[in-house]
Every structure is written in structure tokens, then in C-alpha cells.
Amino acid sequence: MAKVQIKVNDNGSFRVTGEVELIDAEGNKFETKETFSLCRCGMSQNMPFCDGSHKGKFQSVVRATPSQS
């Protein structure tokens, strides 16, 4: 299985790249593509996916500081 990458976009979504299975709390599967974006602002009309509704209206945590192990 290929490695999955989740990118935290500045003031935007979580960009998911790779083969993943996305399910809701009841175990229902969402249809996904190889690359898709998940909403983290709560404004999307297509939850859990990002539809760009946050643009110009929302500022999230820009990025986390990576921990040093």
C-alpha cells in the first residue's frame, strides 16, 4: 500500500493524497478520488469535503510546528 499524505493548507483545507477509505461515524463510506480536500472550517456545503467556502472569510491555524524527535 502506498504512503498517504495529508497536507495542512495555510488558511484552508486538509489536502489528502493517496488511497484512503473515508467513513462517517456510522461506517458509511464516502466516495473519494486519489487526491481530495477535507473541510476544516465548517463552512462547506459539501461536508466533509472542502468546497472553497472559507476563502476570504476564515483564518485557521496556519501551520503546526513539527516536533523534533
Side-chain angles (χ1 to χ4, degrees):
M1 185 174 195
K3 188 174 184 178
V4 173
Q5 181 183 61
I6 302 173
K7 179 181 179 189
V8 180
N9 288 320
D10 290 350
N11 299 315
S13 64
F14 292 114
R15 188 74 169 166
V16 180
T17 303
E19 188 177 329
V20 298
E21 183 176 63
L22 180 63
I23 59 172
D24 67 14
E26 297 168 352
N28 300 304
K29 295 180 185 177
F30 289 96
E31 187 173 322
T32 61
K33 298 179 180 178
E34 183 71 19
T35 300
F36 60 95
S37 293
L38 292 172
C39 177
R40 65 176 178 144
C41 73
M43 295 180 189
S44 177
Q45 298 299 306
N46 189 30
M47 292 296 278
F49 304 102
C50 177
D51 67 2
S53 294
H54 64 276
K55 291 185 180 177
K57 303 175 196 165
F58 178 75
Q59 278 197 315
S60 63
V61 175
V62 176
R63 62 178 59 115
T65 303
S67 61
Q68 307 249 342
S69 300

Short mmCIF file of all heavy atoms in Angstrom, two decimals:
data_model
loop_
_atom_site.label_atom_id
_atom_site.label_comp_id
_atom_site.label_asym_id
_atom_site.label_seq_id
_atom_site.Cartn_x
_atom_site.Cartn_y
_atom_site.Cartn_z
N MET A 1 0.84 -1.18 0.00
CA MET A 1 0.00 0.00 0.00
C MET A 1 0.88 1.25 0.00
O MET A 1 1.85 1.33 0.75
CB MET A 1 -0.91 -0.01 1.22
CG MET A 1 -1.90 1.11 1.26
SD MET A 1 -3.00 0.86 2.66
CE MET A 1 -4.28 1.97 2.24
N ALA A 2 0.55 2.20 -0.83
CA ALA A 2 1.33 3.43 -0.94
C ALA A 2 1.12 4.32 0.28
O ALA A 2 0.08 4.25 0.95
CB ALA A 2 0.92 4.19 -2.20
N LYS A 3 2.08 5.13 0.55
CA LYS A 3 2.02 6.05 1.67
C LYS A 3 0.99 7.15 1.39
O LYS A 3 0.93 7.69 0.28
CB LYS A 3 3.41 6.67 1.88
CG LYS A 3 3.53 7.50 3.13
CD LYS A 3 4.97 7.93 3.31
CE LYS A 3 5.14 8.67 4.60
NZ LYS A 3 6.55 9.06 4.80
N VAL A 4 0.20 7.51 2.39
CA VAL A 4 -0.80 8.57 2.27
C VAL A 4 -0.20 9.85 2.82
O VAL A 4 0.49 9.84 3.84
CB VAL A 4 -2.08 8.19 3.05
CG1 VAL A 4 -3.06 9.34 3.07
CG2 VAL A 4 -2.72 6.95 2.45
N GLN A 5 -0.48 10.96 2.16
CA GLN A 5 0.00 12.26 2.63
C GLN A 5 -1.21 13.15 2.93
O GLN A 5 -2.15 13.21 2.14
CB GLN A 5 0.86 12.93 1.56
CG GLN A 5 1.40 14.30 2.01
CD GLN A 5 2.19 14.97 0.92
OE1 GLN A 5 1.66 15.26 -0.14
NE2 GLN A 5 3.46 15.21 1.19
N ILE A 6 -1.17 13.82 4.09
CA ILE A 6 -2.19 14.81 4.44
C ILE A 6 -1.46 16.13 4.64
O ILE A 6 -0.64 16.27 5.55
CB ILE A 6 -2.96 14.42 5.71
CG1 ILE A 6 -3.62 13.06 5.51
CG2 ILE A 6 -3.99 15.49 6.05
CD1 ILE A 6 -4.28 12.50 6.75
N LYS A 7 -1.76 17.09 3.77
CA LYS A 7 -1.11 18.40 3.82
C LYS A 7 -2.05 19.40 4.47
O LYS A 7 -3.23 19.51 4.09
CB LYS A 7 -0.77 18.86 2.40
CG LYS A 7 -0.10 20.22 2.36
CD LYS A 7 0.19 20.63 0.92
CE LYS A 7 0.83 22.01 0.91
NZ LYS A 7 0.92 22.53 -0.46
N VAL A 8 -1.55 20.15 5.45
CA VAL A 8 -2.32 21.21 6.09
C VAL A 8 -2.11 22.48 5.27
O VAL A 8 -1.03 23.08 5.31
CB VAL A 8 -1.86 21.43 7.56
CG1 VAL A 8 -2.66 22.53 8.21
CG2 VAL A 8 -1.98 20.12 8.35
N ASN A 9 -3.11 22.87 4.52
CA ASN A 9 -3.01 24.08 3.70
C ASN A 9 -3.20 25.31 4.57
O ASN A 9 -4.10 25.36 5.42
CB ASN A 9 -4.05 24.07 2.58
CG ASN A 9 -3.72 23.07 1.50
OD1 ASN A 9 -2.58 22.91 1.12
ND2 ASN A 9 -4.75 22.40 1.00
N ASP A 10 -2.35 26.32 4.37
CA ASP A 10 -2.49 27.58 5.12
C ASP A 10 -3.87 28.17 4.87
O ASP A 10 -4.29 28.33 3.73
CB ASP A 10 -1.44 28.59 4.68
CG ASP A 10 -0.03 28.20 5.10
OD1 ASP A 10 0.11 27.25 5.89
OD2 ASP A 10 0.92 28.85 4.64
N ASN A 11 -4.59 28.46 5.96
CA ASN A 11 -5.92 29.07 5.88
C ASN A 11 -6.85 28.31 4.93
O ASN A 11 -7.62 28.91 4.19
CB ASN A 11 -5.83 30.54 5.48
CG ASN A 11 -5.04 31.32 6.48
OD1 ASN A 11 -5.22 31.18 7.68
ND2 ASN A 11 -4.13 32.14 6.00
N GLY A 12 -6.75 27.00 4.96
CA GLY A 12 -7.58 26.20 4.06
C GLY A 12 -7.77 24.79 4.56
O GLY A 12 -7.75 24.52 5.76
N SER A 13 -7.94 23.91 3.63
CA SER A 13 -8.33 22.53 3.88
C SER A 13 -7.15 21.63 4.26
O SER A 13 -6.00 22.04 4.25
CB SER A 13 -8.96 21.98 2.60
OG SER A 13 -7.99 21.96 1.56
N PHE A 14 -7.52 20.39 4.55
CA PHE A 14 -6.55 19.30 4.65
C PHE A 14 -6.56 18.64 3.27
O PHE A 14 -7.59 18.15 2.82
CB PHE A 14 -6.95 18.26 5.69
CG PHE A 14 -6.90 18.74 7.11
CD1 PHE A 14 -8.05 18.87 7.86
CD2 PHE A 14 -5.68 19.05 7.71
CE1 PHE A 14 -7.99 19.30 9.18
CE2 PHE A 14 -5.63 19.47 9.03
CZ PHE A 14 -6.78 19.60 9.76
N ARG A 15 -5.42 18.62 2.59
CA ARG A 15 -5.31 18.01 1.26
C ARG A 15 -4.81 16.58 1.43
O ARG A 15 -3.71 16.35 1.94
CB ARG A 15 -4.34 18.82 0.40
CG ARG A 15 -4.29 18.40 -1.04
CD ARG A 15 -5.53 18.86 -1.74
NE ARG A 15 -5.38 18.68 -3.19
CZ ARG A 15 -6.37 18.74 -4.02
NH1 ARG A 15 -7.57 18.99 -3.57
NH2 ARG A 15 -6.17 18.56 -5.30
N VAL A 16 -5.62 15.61 1.03
CA VAL A 16 -5.31 14.19 1.20
C VAL A 16 -4.90 13.62 -0.15
O VAL A 16 -5.63 13.75 -1.13
CB VAL A 16 -6.54 13.41 1.76
CG1 VAL A 16 -6.20 11.94 1.94
CG2 VAL A 16 -7.05 14.04 3.05
N THR A 17 -3.74 12.97 -0.18
CA THR A 17 -3.25 12.35 -1.40
C THR A 17 -2.88 10.91 -1.08
O THR A 17 -2.13 10.65 -0.14
CB THR A 17 -2.01 13.09 -1.95
OG1 THR A 17 -2.35 14.45 -2.16
CG2 THR A 17 -1.53 12.47 -3.24
N GLY A 18 -3.43 10.00 -1.85
CA GLY A 18 -3.17 8.58 -1.65
C GLY A 18 -4.48 7.82 -1.51
O GLY A 18 -5.55 8.39 -1.41
N GLU A 19 -4.36 6.52 -1.51
CA GLU A 19 -5.55 5.67 -1.41
C GLU A 19 -5.97 5.53 0.04
O GLU A 19 -5.25 4.96 0.86
CB GLU A 19 -5.26 4.30 -2.01
CG GLU A 19 -6.48 3.43 -2.12
CD GLU A 19 -6.18 2.10 -2.80
OE1 GLU A 19 -5.28 2.05 -3.65
OE2 GLU A 19 -6.84 1.11 -2.43
N VAL A 20 -7.14 6.09 0.37
CA VAL A 20 -7.68 6.00 1.73
C VAL A 20 -9.15 5.61 1.67
O VAL A 20 -9.81 5.80 0.65
CB VAL A 20 -7.55 7.33 2.50
CG1 VAL A 20 -6.11 7.74 2.68
CG2 VAL A 20 -8.34 8.44 1.84
N GLU A 21 -9.63 5.10 2.77
CA GLU A 21 -11.06 4.83 2.92
C GLU A 21 -11.58 5.84 3.93
O GLU A 21 -11.14 5.90 5.07
CB GLU A 21 -11.29 3.40 3.43
CG GLU A 21 -12.76 3.05 3.53
CD GLU A 21 -12.96 1.61 3.93
OE1 GLU A 21 -12.55 1.24 5.05
OE2 GLU A 21 -13.54 0.86 3.13
N LEU A 22 -12.52 6.69 3.49
CA LEU A 22 -13.11 7.72 4.33
C LEU A 22 -14.51 7.26 4.71
O LEU A 22 -15.35 7.01 3.83
CB LEU A 22 -13.15 9.05 3.57
CG LEU A 22 -13.73 10.25 4.31
CD1 LEU A 22 -12.88 10.59 5.54
CD2 LEU A 22 -13.82 11.45 3.38
N ILE A 23 -14.75 7.14 6.02
CA ILE A 23 -16.05 6.67 6.51
C ILE A 23 -16.59 7.65 7.54
O ILE A 23 -15.83 8.35 8.20
CB ILE A 23 -15.96 5.25 7.10
CG1 ILE A 23 -14.97 5.19 8.26
CG2 ILE A 23 -15.59 4.24 6.04
CD1 ILE A 23 -14.99 3.89 9.02
N ASP A 24 -17.93 7.66 7.70
CA ASP A 24 -18.54 8.51 8.72
C ASP A 24 -18.65 7.73 10.03
O ASP A 24 -18.19 6.58 10.12
CB ASP A 24 -19.89 9.05 8.26
CG ASP A 24 -20.98 7.99 8.09
OD1 ASP A 24 -20.81 6.84 8.56
OD2 ASP A 24 -22.02 8.31 7.48
N ALA A 25 -19.24 8.35 11.04
CA ALA A 25 -19.32 7.75 12.37
C ALA A 25 -20.11 6.44 12.39
O ALA A 25 -19.92 5.62 13.29
CB ALA A 25 -19.96 8.74 13.35
N GLU A 26 -20.96 6.24 11.39
CA GLU A 26 -21.78 5.03 11.32
C GLU A 26 -21.18 3.98 10.40
O GLU A 26 -21.79 2.93 10.18
CB GLU A 26 -23.19 5.39 10.89
CG GLU A 26 -23.87 6.30 11.91
CD GLU A 26 -25.16 6.91 11.40
OE1 GLU A 26 -25.48 6.76 10.20
OE2 GLU A 26 -25.84 7.55 12.22
N GLY A 27 -20.00 4.25 9.84
CA GLY A 27 -19.35 3.28 8.97
C GLY A 27 -19.69 3.39 7.51
O GLY A 27 -19.25 2.57 6.71
N ASN A 28 -20.46 4.41 7.12
CA ASN A 28 -20.81 4.62 5.72
C ASN A 28 -19.61 5.20 4.98
O ASN A 28 -18.96 6.12 5.47
CB ASN A 28 -22.01 5.57 5.59
CG ASN A 28 -23.22 5.02 6.30
OD1 ASN A 28 -23.66 3.91 6.02
ND2 ASN A 28 -23.76 5.79 7.22
N LYS A 29 -19.33 4.66 3.80
CA LYS A 29 -18.16 5.09 3.02
C LYS A 29 -18.49 6.30 2.15
O LYS A 29 -19.57 6.37 1.56
CB LYS A 29 -17.67 3.96 2.14
CG LYS A 29 -17.15 2.78 2.92
CD LYS A 29 -16.67 1.68 1.99
CE LYS A 29 -16.27 0.45 2.80
NZ LYS A 29 -15.88 -0.66 1.92
N PHE A 30 -17.53 7.23 2.08
CA PHE A 30 -17.62 8.34 1.14
C PHE A 30 -16.82 7.95 -0.09
O PHE A 30 -15.75 7.34 0.02
CB PHE A 30 -16.98 9.62 1.72
CG PHE A 30 -17.77 10.25 2.82
CD1 PHE A 30 -17.48 9.97 4.15
CD2 PHE A 30 -18.80 11.13 2.55
CE1 PHE A 30 -18.19 10.55 5.18
CE2 PHE A 30 -19.52 11.73 3.57
CZ PHE A 30 -19.21 11.44 4.89
N GLU A 31 -17.30 8.31 -1.26
CA GLU A 31 -16.55 8.08 -2.49
C GLU A 31 -15.48 9.17 -2.57
O GLU A 31 -15.77 10.36 -2.42
CB GLU A 31 -17.48 8.16 -3.70
CG GLU A 31 -16.81 7.76 -4.98
CD GLU A 31 -17.79 7.68 -6.14
OE1 GLU A 31 -18.92 7.24 -5.93
OE2 GLU A 31 -17.37 8.08 -7.24
N THR A 32 -14.24 8.77 -2.78
CA THR A 32 -13.14 9.72 -2.87
C THR A 32 -12.31 9.46 -4.13
O THR A 32 -12.41 8.40 -4.74
CB THR A 32 -12.19 9.62 -1.64
OG1 THR A 32 -11.64 8.31 -1.58
CG2 THR A 32 -12.93 9.94 -0.35
N LYS A 33 -11.50 10.45 -4.46
CA LYS A 33 -10.55 10.33 -5.57
C LYS A 33 -9.17 10.12 -4.98
O LYS A 33 -9.00 10.11 -3.76
CB LYS A 33 -10.58 11.59 -6.42
CG LYS A 33 -11.93 11.84 -7.06
CD LYS A 33 -11.94 13.10 -7.87
CE LYS A 33 -13.32 13.31 -8.49
NZ LYS A 33 -13.40 14.54 -9.26
N GLU A 34 -8.17 10.00 -5.81
CA GLU A 34 -6.79 9.81 -5.36
C GLU A 34 -6.30 11.02 -4.55
O GLU A 34 -5.51 10.89 -3.64
CB GLU A 34 -5.87 9.57 -6.56
CG GLU A 34 -4.42 9.30 -6.19
CD GLU A 34 -4.17 7.94 -5.54
OE1 GLU A 34 -5.02 7.04 -5.66
OE2 GLU A 34 -3.12 7.79 -4.90
N THR A 35 -6.79 12.22 -4.90
CA THR A 35 -6.47 13.45 -4.18
C THR A 35 -7.77 14.21 -3.93
O THR A 35 -8.56 14.39 -4.86
CB THR A 35 -5.49 14.32 -4.99
OG1 THR A 35 -4.29 13.58 -5.22
CG2 THR A 35 -5.15 15.61 -4.27
N PHE A 36 -7.98 14.63 -2.69
CA PHE A 36 -9.18 15.40 -2.34
C PHE A 36 -8.88 16.26 -1.12
O PHE A 36 -7.87 16.07 -0.45
CB PHE A 36 -10.38 14.48 -2.09
CG PHE A 36 -10.19 13.50 -0.96
CD1 PHE A 36 -10.64 13.79 0.31
CD2 PHE A 36 -9.57 12.28 -1.18
CE1 PHE A 36 -10.48 12.88 1.36
CE2 PHE A 36 -9.40 11.37 -0.15
CZ PHE A 36 -9.85 11.67 1.12
N SER A 37 -9.76 17.20 -0.84
CA SER A 37 -9.57 18.11 0.29
C SER A 37 -10.71 17.97 1.28
O SER A 37 -11.88 17.90 0.90
CB SER A 37 -9.52 19.56 -0.20
OG SER A 37 -8.37 19.78 -0.98
N LEU A 38 -10.34 17.95 2.56
CA LEU A 38 -11.32 17.89 3.64
C LEU A 38 -11.47 19.26 4.28
O LEU A 38 -10.48 19.95 4.54
CB LEU A 38 -10.87 16.88 4.70
CG LEU A 38 -10.88 15.42 4.28
CD1 LEU A 38 -10.24 14.56 5.36
CD2 LEU A 38 -12.29 14.95 3.98
N CYS A 39 -12.71 19.64 4.55
CA CYS A 39 -13.01 20.92 5.18
C CYS A 39 -12.53 20.92 6.62
O CYS A 39 -12.65 19.93 7.33
CB CYS A 39 -14.52 21.16 5.15
SG CYS A 39 -15.04 22.67 5.98
N ARG A 40 -11.97 22.05 7.06
CA ARG A 40 -11.64 22.20 8.48
C ARG A 40 -12.18 23.50 9.05
O ARG A 40 -11.89 23.85 10.18
CB ARG A 40 -10.14 22.05 8.73
CG ARG A 40 -9.27 23.10 8.14
CD ARG A 40 -7.82 22.83 8.59
NE ARG A 40 -6.93 23.80 8.00
CZ ARG A 40 -5.88 24.30 8.61
NH1 ARG A 40 -5.57 23.92 9.82
NH2 ARG A 40 -5.12 25.17 8.00
N CYS A 41 -13.01 24.22 8.27
CA CYS A 41 -13.58 25.47 8.77
C CYS A 41 -15.05 25.32 9.15
O CYS A 41 -15.58 26.14 9.88
CB CYS A 41 -13.43 26.59 7.74
SG CYS A 41 -14.52 26.44 6.30
N GLY A 42 -15.71 24.29 8.62
CA GLY A 42 -17.13 24.07 8.91
C GLY A 42 -18.09 24.82 8.00
O GLY A 42 -19.30 24.76 8.19
N MET A 43 -17.59 25.54 7.01
CA MET A 43 -18.46 26.34 6.13
C MET A 43 -18.86 25.64 4.84
O MET A 43 -19.72 26.13 4.12
CB MET A 43 -17.74 27.64 5.76
CG MET A 43 -17.49 28.54 6.92
SD MET A 43 -16.63 30.04 6.35
CE MET A 43 -16.23 30.78 7.91
N SER A 44 -18.26 24.50 4.54
CA SER A 44 -18.54 23.80 3.28
C SER A 44 -19.99 23.35 3.20
O SER A 44 -20.58 22.90 4.18
CB SER A 44 -17.62 22.58 3.15
OG SER A 44 -17.93 21.85 1.98
N GLN A 45 -20.55 23.44 2.00
CA GLN A 45 -21.88 22.92 1.73
C GLN A 45 -21.81 21.47 1.26
O GLN A 45 -22.83 20.86 0.96
CB GLN A 45 -22.59 23.77 0.67
CG GLN A 45 -22.80 25.22 1.08
CD GLN A 45 -23.66 25.34 2.33
OE1 GLN A 45 -24.77 24.81 2.38
NE2 GLN A 45 -23.15 26.04 3.34
N ASN A 46 -20.59 20.93 1.22
CA ASN A 46 -20.36 19.56 0.73
C ASN A 46 -19.52 18.78 1.75
O ASN A 46 -18.57 18.12 1.40
CB ASN A 46 -19.65 19.61 -0.63
CG ASN A 46 -19.58 18.27 -1.30
OD1 ASN A 46 -20.44 17.42 -1.11
ND2 ASN A 46 -18.54 18.05 -2.08
N MET A 47 -19.87 18.91 3.03
CA MET A 47 -19.10 18.26 4.10
C MET A 47 -19.04 16.75 3.87
O MET A 47 -20.00 16.18 3.39
CB MET A 47 -19.74 18.53 5.45
CG MET A 47 -19.63 19.98 5.88
SD MET A 47 -17.95 20.51 6.13
CE MET A 47 -17.64 19.91 7.77
N PRO A 48 -17.96 16.10 4.17
CA PRO A 48 -16.77 16.58 4.86
C PRO A 48 -15.74 17.20 3.92
O PRO A 48 -14.64 17.52 4.33
CB PRO A 48 -16.22 15.33 5.52
CG PRO A 48 -16.51 14.25 4.52
CD PRO A 48 -17.86 14.64 3.95
N PHE A 49 -16.10 17.37 2.64
CA PHE A 49 -15.16 17.86 1.64
C PHE A 49 -15.15 19.38 1.59
O PHE A 49 -16.16 20.03 1.84
CB PHE A 49 -15.50 17.28 0.26
CG PHE A 49 -15.53 15.79 0.24
CD1 PHE A 49 -16.73 15.10 0.27
CD2 PHE A 49 -14.35 15.06 0.23
CE1 PHE A 49 -16.76 13.72 0.27
CE2 PHE A 49 -14.37 13.67 0.22
CZ PHE A 49 -15.58 13.00 0.25
N CYS A 50 -14.01 19.93 1.25
CA CYS A 50 -13.87 21.38 1.10
C CYS A 50 -14.46 21.81 -0.24
O CYS A 50 -14.20 21.18 -1.26
CB CYS A 50 -12.39 21.76 1.16
SG CYS A 50 -12.09 23.52 0.91
N ASP A 51 -15.26 22.88 -0.22
CA ASP A 51 -15.78 23.44 -1.46
C ASP A 51 -15.30 24.87 -1.69
O ASP A 51 -15.78 25.57 -2.57
CB ASP A 51 -17.31 23.38 -1.49
CG ASP A 51 -17.97 24.28 -0.45
OD1 ASP A 51 -17.27 24.99 0.30
OD2 ASP A 51 -19.22 24.26 -0.38
N GLY A 52 -14.34 25.32 -0.87
CA GLY A 52 -13.77 26.65 -1.03
C GLY A 52 -14.55 27.76 -0.36
O GLY A 52 -14.22 28.93 -0.50
N SER A 53 -15.61 27.42 0.39
CA SER A 53 -16.44 28.43 1.04
C SER A 53 -15.68 29.31 2.02
O SER A 53 -16.10 30.42 2.32
CB SER A 53 -17.60 27.77 1.79
OG SER A 53 -18.49 27.15 0.89
N HIS A 54 -14.55 28.83 2.53
CA HIS A 54 -13.77 29.56 3.53
C HIS A 54 -13.03 30.76 2.95
O HIS A 54 -12.65 31.65 3.70
CB HIS A 54 -12.72 28.62 4.14
CG HIS A 54 -11.72 28.13 3.15
ND1 HIS A 54 -11.96 27.04 2.34
CD2 HIS A 54 -10.51 28.61 2.80
CE1 HIS A 54 -10.91 26.86 1.54
NE2 HIS A 54 -10.01 27.81 1.81
N LYS A 55 -12.84 30.80 1.65
CA LYS A 55 -11.98 31.82 1.05
C LYS A 55 -12.46 33.23 1.39
O LYS A 55 -13.60 33.58 1.15
CB LYS A 55 -11.90 31.63 -0.46
CG LYS A 55 -11.13 30.38 -0.82
CD LYS A 55 -10.94 30.22 -2.29
CE LYS A 55 -10.16 28.93 -2.52
NZ LYS A 55 -9.96 28.63 -3.90
N GLY A 56 -11.56 34.00 1.98
CA GLY A 56 -11.85 35.38 2.35
C GLY A 56 -12.66 35.54 3.62
O GLY A 56 -12.93 36.66 4.04
N LYS A 57 -13.06 34.45 4.25
CA LYS A 57 -13.92 34.52 5.43
C LYS A 57 -13.32 33.87 6.66
O LYS A 57 -13.89 33.96 7.73
CB LYS A 57 -15.25 33.81 5.15
CG LYS A 57 -16.01 34.32 3.98
CD LYS A 57 -17.23 33.45 3.76
CE LYS A 57 -17.80 33.69 2.38
NZ LYS A 57 -18.73 32.68 1.99
N PHE A 58 -12.21 33.22 6.51
CA PHE A 58 -11.75 32.34 7.57
C PHE A 58 -10.23 32.34 7.64
O PHE A 58 -9.56 32.32 6.62
CB PHE A 58 -12.24 30.92 7.27
CG PHE A 58 -11.82 29.87 8.24
CD1 PHE A 58 -12.41 29.79 9.49
CD2 PHE A 58 -10.85 28.96 7.92
CE1 PHE A 58 -12.04 28.80 10.37
CE2 PHE A 58 -10.47 27.97 8.81
CZ PHE A 58 -11.07 27.90 10.03
N GLN A 59 -9.73 32.38 8.84
CA GLN A 59 -8.30 32.19 9.04
C GLN A 59 -8.13 31.10 10.07
O GLN A 59 -8.64 31.20 11.19
CB GLN A 59 -7.62 33.46 9.52
CG GLN A 59 -7.30 34.40 8.39
CD GLN A 59 -6.30 35.43 8.83
OE1 GLN A 59 -6.41 35.99 9.90
NE2 GLN A 59 -5.32 35.67 7.99
N SER A 60 -7.46 30.06 9.67
CA SER A 60 -7.24 28.93 10.57
C SER A 60 -5.82 29.00 11.10
O SER A 60 -5.06 29.89 10.77
CB SER A 60 -7.44 27.63 9.79
OG SER A 60 -6.48 27.54 8.78
N VAL A 61 -5.50 28.03 11.89
CA VAL A 61 -4.11 27.89 12.30
C VAL A 61 -3.29 27.70 11.04
O VAL A 61 -3.59 26.83 10.23
CB VAL A 61 -3.93 26.67 13.24
CG1 VAL A 61 -2.48 26.45 13.57
CG2 VAL A 61 -4.76 26.87 14.50
N VAL A 62 -2.30 28.53 10.83
CA VAL A 62 -1.54 28.49 9.59
C VAL A 62 -0.83 27.16 9.46
O VAL A 62 -1.01 26.43 8.51
CB VAL A 62 -0.57 29.68 9.48
CG1 VAL A 62 0.28 29.56 8.23
CG2 VAL A 62 -1.36 30.97 9.48
N ARG A 63 0.00 26.83 10.41
CA ARG A 63 0.67 25.52 10.37
C ARG A 63 1.22 25.20 11.75
O ARG A 63 1.51 26.09 12.53
CB ARG A 63 1.76 25.46 9.32
CG ARG A 63 2.89 26.43 9.53
CD ARG A 63 3.95 26.27 8.45
NE ARG A 63 3.43 26.46 7.15
CZ ARG A 63 3.79 27.46 6.34
NH1 ARG A 63 4.67 28.33 6.73
NH2 ARG A 63 3.26 27.57 5.15
N ALA A 64 1.32 23.95 11.99
CA ALA A 64 1.89 23.48 13.25
C ALA A 64 3.40 23.45 13.14
O ALA A 64 3.95 23.31 12.05
CB ALA A 64 1.37 22.08 13.56
N THR A 65 4.05 23.59 14.25
CA THR A 65 5.50 23.47 14.28
C THR A 65 5.82 21.99 14.44
O THR A 65 5.38 21.36 15.40
CB THR A 65 6.09 24.26 15.46
OG1 THR A 65 5.68 25.61 15.34
CG2 THR A 65 7.60 24.17 15.47
N PRO A 66 6.55 21.41 13.47
CA PRO A 66 6.87 19.98 13.58
C PRO A 66 7.65 19.66 14.86
O PRO A 66 8.52 20.44 15.25
CB PRO A 66 7.73 19.72 12.34
CG PRO A 66 7.47 20.85 11.41
CD PRO A 66 7.11 22.02 12.30
N SER A 67 7.29 18.57 15.46
CA SER A 67 8.03 18.17 16.68
C SER A 67 9.36 17.55 16.26
O SER A 67 9.49 16.97 15.21
CB SER A 67 7.21 17.17 17.49
OG SER A 67 6.96 16.01 16.72
N GLN A 68 10.32 17.70 17.10
CA GLN A 68 11.65 17.16 16.84
C GLN A 68 11.84 15.93 17.71
O GLN A 68 11.76 16.02 18.91
CB GLN A 68 12.70 18.21 17.17
CG GLN A 68 12.45 19.52 16.50
CD GLN A 68 13.47 19.84 15.44
OE1 GLN A 68 14.53 19.27 15.43
NE2 GLN A 68 13.13 20.75 14.55
N SER A 69 12.03 14.79 17.08
CA SER A 69 12.21 13.55 17.85
C SER A 69 13.65 13.15 17.89
O SER A 69 14.40 13.32 17.01
CB SER A 69 11.41 12.42 17.21
OG SER A 69 10.05 12.76 17.19
#
